[in-house]
Amino acid sequence: MRLSDKKKPALVLSGGGVKAAAFHIGVCLALQEKGFKFAGGSPVKVQNEYPDDKMTFKTYVGSSAGSVISTFLASGYDVDAIIRAFTQGSGLPSVTRTGKKSNVKDNHLKPITYRNIFGLNLKAGHPSRILRSVFRKTPVISGGLEVLLKRGFKVNGLFTTNSLEKYIRESACNDNKFSSLGVELYIIATQLNHSRKVIFGNFDQTTKDERIKYAGYAKISEAVAASAALPPFFAPYGIHNHKGREVFFFDGEIRDTLSTHVAADHGSDLVIASYSIHPYHFNNEIGSLSDYGIPIIFNQALYQVVQQKIDTHIRHQREVRSMIKAVDGYLKQTNIEPEHREKLLEILNERTQNKPEVDYIYIHPSPHDYEMFFADHFSLNPKILAKIVQTGFRSAMRTLRKHNV
């Protein structure tokens, strides 16, 4: 596979809090080092600055924290500007691997603070009221702790993503419309009162089935706020649809951790996916996670669930391609007419939703990188962010070397 021959590369970024955002930044620095460019902004800007699609990302897919980084890139901010937004005033120097200096005025992003990430859920009321709602005396007819919590804990989230929506709307997206971008941006969320994944983007009309909805009625900032609403910490985010009805959404990772199919479905022939979640693998220096308490064990359990979903997806993808390749080989050996062989392969590809022209690259941390595993998901500490950015850079470089990039 020669990546330079690909005509429409796409970048898919998953969630995982600030930790994932920092990892994605490191991945982007590595891609930049290898010659990739990140197009974004208005159609005029993209056409003038990125007329050639070669090694240029013009399709972005993001979930949760990945939707934030995807939005920044699609809006025309370079990697250095994103680094400054997370670290400005905290002592971490701005770094570019290409030696290209950014136009600070054109690429300025307001610094991201905890206030932009954590907005107190005012509907839940004062913290004392929240505690009273948890421990209020409610008769328990049947059941135990679960029933008590369901009856007494009516808060839909301690925080909201309203502050994040405001930040994206006021500081990142001028027009705040998918249609105003010169590139393709797709943001993934999950519909709360249903079981379908929702893809927000520049769609003329809303289409849906039982699994997926393609929605064109959201502003970019609204889609990001919906995608980043991780339960139970953040309340579901409501967006009014084209009929004026408020529909609630939450985290885009609930249904699919990596929505690589979105990029492939919209014509990308190279999909590079970055995800920061990987379970810890035992090493003598750290020992067993059983010695580190409930939060760490819970993180490991969550990571294992997420990783299993990703591995299943990748394995299925590879098995389908291997099966079709084997069938193709058999048909050639039997000297079947070329037109019949091609028709049979076409049917197989269609039924299995395989796109033979699309190549995939998956970038993730090493399971032996315990510092990455133990890192705080929502810390803006510059030293922690710097280490995670370096981890993303190293992980991407290690993966890209395997593909002769």
Side-chain angles (χ1 to χ4, degrees):
M1 173 176 59
R2 287 176 54 87
L3 300 189
S4 59
D5 292 337
K6 293 296 181 176
K7 297 179 180 179
K8 191 179 180 181
L11 185 63
V12 179
L13 305 178
S14 72
V18 177
K19 178 178 179 178
F23 183 83
H24 297 327
I25 290 171
V27 170
C28 289
L29 285 172
L31 291 169
Q32 192 170 265
E33 174 82 0
K34 289 297 186 178
F36 282 94
K37 299 181 287 293
F38 303 91
S42 68
V44 174
K45 178 183 178 183
V46 172
Q47 182 60 37
N48 290 341
E49 297 183 15
Y50 305 94
D52 185 9
D53 291 340
K54 184 178 180 180
M55 301 284 282
T56 302
F57 291 109
K58 292 184 178 179
T59 301
Y60 302 95
V61 181
S63 296
S64 195
S67 72
V68 177
I69 302 301
S70 296
T71 294
F72 289 158
L73 293 171
S75 298
Y77 298 99
D78 61 26
V79 181
D80 215 28
I82 300 173
I83 292 176
R84 285 195 301 270
F86 278 96
T87 62
Q88 192 171 31
S90 61
L92 182 67
S94 180
V95 179
T96 54
R97 298 285 173 174
T98 61
K100 176 183 176 182
K101 294 185 178 180
S102 302
N103 186 324
V104 176
K105 182 178 179 181
D106 292 342
N107 283 279
H108 177 70
L109 266 174
K110 180 181 177 182
I112 299 175
T113 67
Y114 286 112
R115 288 186 177 182
N116 301 129
I117 301 172
F118 297 100
L120 188 63
N121 187 0
L122 298 179
K123 290 184 179 180
H126 190 274
S128 62
R129 289 178 57 192
I130 297 176
L131 290 176
R132 285 199 299 270
S133 73
V134 176
F135 296 106
R136 67 187 180 187
K137 295 181 180 179
T138 304
V140 179
I141 299 175
S142 62
L145 178 61
E146 182 180 358
V147 173
L148 176 64
L149 291 176
K150 285 180 178 178
R151 290 186 176 183
F153 203 1
K154 299 294 186 181
V155 179
N156 64 356
L158 299 178
F159 305 98
T160 74
T161 52
N162 293 343
S163 296
L164 178 61
E165 187 278 330
K166 181 179 180 181
Y167 174 89
I168 297 294
R169 170 168 40 88
E170 296 183 351
S171 304
C173 299
N174 292 329
D175 293 331
N176 204 17
K177 298 177 181 178
F178 287 94
S179 59
S180 297
L181 298 174
V183 296
E184 297 176 58
L185 172 63
Y186 303 101
I187 295 176
I188 315 301
T190 306
Q191 190 169 334
L192 175 64
N193 298 310
H194 204 279
S195 56
R196 65 164 66 96
K197 175 170 69 176
V198 181
I199 303 169
F200 292 109
N202 182 24
F203 304 113
D204 293 332
Q205 59 183 2
T206 299
T207 58
K208 59 186 178 182
D209 57 30
E210 286 301 309
R211 298 182 306 108
I212 300 176
K213 174 195 287 185
Y214 294 88
Y217 50 75
K219 301 290 187 181
I220 296 175
S221 59
E222 293 175 335
V224 172
S227 182
L230 172 67
F233 305 106
F234 294 93
Y237 189 85
I239 300 176
H240 288 88
N241 64 16
H242 59 283
K243 295 181 179 179
R245 183 170 68 90
E246 187 175 26
V247 183
F248 287 91
F249 304 92
F250 57 0
D251 192 270
E253 303 280 87
I254 301 297
R255 291 287 295 179
D256 284 322
T257 303
L258 282 176
S259 293
T260 53
H261 75 90
V262 177
D265 291 344
H266 289 86
S268 293
D269 55 1
L270 172 64
V271 180
I272 298 181
S274 169
Y275 62 96
S276 64
I277 291 178
H278 201 291
Y280 162 84
H281 286 192
F282 180 88
N283 68 73
N284 292 325
E285 186 173 357
I286 295 300
S288 172
L289 295 182
S290 63
D291 299 326
Y292 289 87
I294 293 175
I296 294 299
I297 295 173
F298 176 79
N299 277 352
Q300 176 73 345
L302 178 63
Y303 279 24
Q304 288 177 343
V305 170
V306 171
Q307 182 62 24
Q308 190 271 340
K309 289 170 62 179
I310 295 174
D311 281 349
T312 299
H313 166 73
I314 296 175
R315 190 180 307 111
H316 173 74
Q317 209 173 56
R318 290 173 177 169
E319 288 175 351
V320 166
R321 293 194 167 195
S322 178
M323 179 269 294
I324 293 177
K325 183 178 180 181
V327 171
D328 186 27
Y330 173 76
L331 294 175
K332 288 179 179 178
Q333 289 179 358
T334 58
N335 295 319
I336 191 173
E337 293 294 330
E339 59 269 22
H340 295 307
R341 179 175 63 85
E342 291 175 4
K343 184 60 179 179
L344 286 171
L345 294 177
E346 180 184 336
I347 294 172
L348 281 175
N349 284 319
E350 182 180 348
R351 294 292 179 88
T352 59
Q353 297 182 333
N354 178 54
K355 294 179 173 57
E357 72 282 1
V358 183
D359 288 301
Y360 298 87
I361 296 177
Y362 297 93
I363 300 172
H364 60 81
S366 166
H368 302 292
D369 189 342
Y370 58 83
E371 289 187 339
M372 178 66 180
F373 175 81
F374 280 95
D376 193 319
H377 288 84
F378 291 99
S379 175
L380 292 176
N381 181 294
K383 292 183 179 180
I384 294 176
L385 288 178
K387 286 185 177 181
I388 297 174
V389 169
Q390 291 169 3
T391 298
F393 181 83
R394 289 196 305 267
S395 300
M397 293 296 283
R398 180 180 65 247
T399 301
L400 293 173
R401 277 196 292 268
K402 298 177 183 178
H403 296 273
N404 299 316
V405 183

